[in-house]
Amino acid sequence: MAIVAGVGVFAAIWITGAASTFWTIDTMEITNSFTYGGRQLTSYPMTIYSSWLRRLVTYAVPLAVVGYYPVRGVLEREPAGTPVWVRFVGVPAAVVAGAAALAVWNSAVRNYRGVGS
């Protein structure tokens, strides 16, 4: 299930990044920082990061819930202070991220104004 959740979360990040190109220039660098940077960030134990960064990649941009926490659960090595239920929220997080990405995409398409050429 972690693989399915990972595909869903990363697809949502790419869709949101693609939708933001309607409003900005060179948005793909921001998207790359979330995808590739997030992959690099979650390849290390979450306990080495400060609490605000752990909360960001767990709850706001759910990168840690699709790989790090499920593996910790399989290994039965929960980090101190982390709720047990976090290892099971990968798929629901992917669904929420996908719904948010769809809302951003629909808003971008609905409010698009052509360049006029």
Side-chain angles (χ1 to χ4, degrees), residues 37-73:
R39 184 192 64 202
Q40 184 68 25
L41 183 115
T42 57
S43 67
Y44 293 100
M46 291 289 110
T47 54
I48 67 170
Y49 300 117
S50 62
S51 61
W52 71 268
L53 186 57
R54 282 194 308 263
R55 282 190 217 107
L56 177 75
V57 298
T58 301
Y59 303 111
V61 182
L63 297 172
V65 298
V66 298
Y68 179 74
Y69 290 119
V71 169
R72 296 292 299 214

Side-chain angles (χ1 to χ4, degrees), residues 17-109:
S20 66
T21 60
F22 285 104
W23 301 300
T24 60
I25 299 171
D26 268 345
T27 303
M28 295 318 289
E29 292 304 319
I30 296 170
T31 304
N32 287 340
S33 68
F34 280 106
T35 55
Y36 300 119
R39 184 192 64 202
Q40 184 68 25
L41 183 115
T42 57
S43 67
Y44 293 100
M46 291 289 110
T47 54
I48 67 170
Y49 300 117
S50 62
S51 61
W52 71 268
L53 186 57
R54 282 194 308 263
R55 282 190 217 107
L56 177 75
V57 298
T58 301
Y59 303 111
V61 182
L63 297 172
V65 298
V66 298
Y68 179 74
Y69 290 119
V71 169
R72 296 292 299 214
V74 168
L75 297 174
E76 296 178 358
R77 299 185 69 180
E78 294 295 331
T82 304
V84 175
W85 56 265
V86 171
R87 69 175 115 157
F88 300 110
V89 298
V91 172
V95 170
V96 170
L102 182 63
V104 170
W105 177 262
N106 286 335
S107 174
V109 170

